[in-house]
Amino acid sequence: MTGIAGLNKKHNFVLTIRDTDVVASALRQALAEATPEERPGLERAAALVESSAAADEARLRARWVRSRLAAVGFEGDIASVAAVKALRRAEPKLSLLAAVQLQREAVAQPE
């Protein structure tokens, strides 16, 4: 997931976009046509996609928050005010309320 749609200064709803079903289908097709040498790698990829597909939206948003914090070099406590500031620096369109809500979800979802 490269971004979360719907967050800006006027709106605080989150729309999580997931493509795991499309990727899983493509991997199943590739597995059906795979040579014995290709199968182990494709099987591992399919397992990773299935594990990602099983993640609920709160976990996906928490992952997104952590990735955005990492993108701006934040290494401190995710529950801190500095984390909210870093998240808003990473995503300037986030309102303070949205940033705090996302931070709380990330804190509630351990890595």
Side-chain angles (χ1 to χ4, degrees), residues 6-13 93 95 98:
L7 290 175
N8 61 42
K9 301 278 186 195
K10 295 181 182 177
H11 304 288
N12 288 316
F13 65 90
K93 291 184 178 181
S95 69

Side-chain angles (χ1 to χ4, degrees), residues 53-110:
D56 63 8
E57 290 187 14
R59 186 166 301 270
L60 291 174
R61 287 190 294 272
R63 250 188 244 156
W64 181 82
V65 167
R66 286 185 176 87
S67 75
R68 299 312 304 140
L69 291 174
V72 292
F74 181 78
E75 296 179 355
D77 180 9
I78 197 167
S80 68
V81 171
V84 173
K85 288 180 181 179
L87 183 57
R88 292 188 75 203
R89 189 171 59 249
E91 293 294 328
K93 291 184 178 181
L94 282 179
S95 69
L96 178 59
L97 177 61
V100 169
Q101 288 172 338
L102 287 166
Q103 175 205 36
R104 287 180 181 162
E105 279 192 2
V107 168
Q109 297 288 326

Side-chain angles (χ1 to χ4, degrees), residues 18-42:
R18 298 170 65 146
D19 291 353
T20 52
D21 57 335
V22 174
V23 174
S25 176
L27 282 171
R28 281 192 296 274
Q29 180 66 35
L31 268 169
E33 302 167 356
T35 65
E37 296 83 26
E38 296 173 321
R39 288 194 71 74
L42 287 169

